[in-house]
Amino acid sequence: MEPMERIITRFTRALDTYDRHADAQQQICRRLCTLLTRHTNRHFRRALEIGCGTGCLTRLLKENCVIDEWLLNDLCEGCQAKIATLFTEQMPPFIVGDAEKIKFPRLFDLIVSASAFQWMENPGIFLGKLARMLRPRGTLLFNTFAPGNLEEIRQLTGCGLTYPPLWKLNKWLNDDYRILFMQEEEIILTFDTPLDVLRHLKHTGVTATNNGAWTRGRQQEFCREYIRLFSTDTNKVRLTYRPLYVLAVKKQ
């Protein structure tokens, strides 16, 4: 697991570029919002968003749901200013810090999180913590990523997060939640060059390639191998995201 300080630094640096480059993450937020509006009544009294980032999911929830009271959280303090632009009325409470360690107030009718669970050190334990923060029949909506996420980067650099398979996530959820929807998806982005892939990872803060200095020779070798292994029929190169979506309700 990466040191928390490094994760915070990387995402803070990407705050001003994230929205322009986070194509996969924005698709994921739209899918999450669609799941919520399709399976619930869209009205929640108290909602917590974990890892709200620059507010992609926050904005969609504001546009498509009625939430009487919000609580927002992110590792990066700089996200608060981004989120504030979404609320012309009073800014909701914003808690900076590691959601696994924060003692959140209870109880919530909805807990949501987009593309943050993969950073959790103990996701199984964390899901139990969230269950204790939800009202009976409260809704949990999030995505993480499945094995094979950013596989191109892992194959060429040996770096990447460990992603739980669907069966393990199902096991973690089973004690406290009734699962309404759980599904993997594949999102393939294409880029003109491998350097554009690296820029995309840097600008979204999700890069898993920072194990040591990138010398010119290492970068050239990375680009050669990327083109050889991951070119498309249209002379571009691909990058694969594998989001895993979960919509669940707390058992009585």
Side-chain angles (χ1 to χ4, degrees):
M1 192 70 190
E2 281 200 77
M4 189 60 65
E5 295 78 12
R6 186 185 298 168
I7 296 170
I8 294 170
T9 298
R10 201 167 60 230
F11 278 105
T12 298
R13 287 174 178 167
L15 281 177
D16 290 333
T17 57
Y18 184 89
D19 289 339
R20 294 195 302 276
H21 296 271
D23 297 331
Q25 292 81 359
Q26 288 166 8
Q27 288 185 49
I28 288 166
C29 287
R30 290 193 292 271
R31 183 72 187 278
L32 287 170
C33 187
T34 298
L35 284 173
L36 189 66
T37 56
R38 183 176 295 164
H39 292 278
T40 71
N41 65 11
R42 306 187 185 198
H43 189 175
F44 303 94
R45 193 171 73 79
R46 296 192 72 218
L48 167 66
E49 183 178 358
I50 292 165
C52 61
T54 58
C56 179
L57 183 58
T58 318
R59 177 179 54 79
L60 290 169
L61 293 179
K62 277 186 97 275
E63 292 172 353
N64 294 279
C65 299
V66 176
I67 296 174
D68 299 330
E69 184 182 338
W70 296 73
L71 179 62
L72 303 169
N73 155 260
D74 199 89
L75 280 172
C76 302
E77 188 174 358
C79 292
Q80 187 167 3
K82 299 284 185 181
I83 292 290
T85 64
L86 301 176
F87 291 88
T88 53
E89 65 280 13
Q90 185 176 359
M91 168 74 181
F94 185 100
I95 299 178
V96 179
D98 181 351
E100 289 186 278
K101 298 176 181 177
I102 293 169
K103 187 174 182 180
F104 291 101
R106 306 180 188 183
L107 290 165
F108 296 96
D109 305 287
L110 172 68
I111 297 178
V112 299
S113 183
S115 302
F117 264 72
Q118 70 275 14
W119 300 107
M120 301 302 172
E121 191 170 349
N122 295 292
I125 294 172
F126 186 58
L127 286 167
K129 173 182 176 177
L130 297 185
R132 295 188 293 274
M133 292 160 48
L134 278 170
R135 299 183 190 278
R137 294 196 296 271
T139 301
L140 174 66
L141 173 73
F142 71 96
N143 81 285
T144 182
F145 292 91
N149 189 61
L150 303 180
E151 183 59 33
E152 297 88 350
I153 304 301
R154 180 185 291 275
Q155 190 169 328
L156 290 182
T157 68
C159 295
L161 299 177
T162 300
Y163 303 105
L166 191 148
W167 69 263
K168 182 174 284 189
L169 190 57
N170 193 55
K171 183 179 178 182
W172 289 336
L173 288 160
N174 196 48
D175 286 345
D176 297 309
Y177 302 92
R178 180 169 60 89
I179 298 171
L180 301 182
F181 184 91
M182 179 184 287
Q183 189 175 86
E184 292 181 24
E185 183 180 71
E186 185 173 82
I187 298 174
I188 297 178
L189 303 183
T190 58
F191 299 87
D192 290 333
T193 70
L195 287 179
D196 291 323
V197 174
L198 292 178
R199 291 188 191 100
H200 162 78
L201 294 171
K202 178 181 179 181
H203 290 324
T204 54
V206 300
T207 177
T209 61
N210 57 346
N211 60 331
W214 274 76
T215 63
R216 184 175 181 182
R218 185 183 177 206
Q219 182 173 285
Q220 289 175 338
E221 174 66 15
F222 173 88
C223 291
R224 280 195 301 270
E225 286 299 291
Y226 209 108
I227 291 169
R228 184 177 72 84
L229 294 171
F230 306 121
S231 289
T232 70
D233 294 339
T234 56
N235 292 320
K236 293 181 180 289
V237 292
R238 72 172 192 264
L239 180 66
T240 305
Y241 284 87
R242 291 197 61 83
L244 197 166
Y245 302 95
V246 175
L247 177 66
V249 294
K250 181 181 176 180
K251 293 178 180 177
Q252 294 241 35

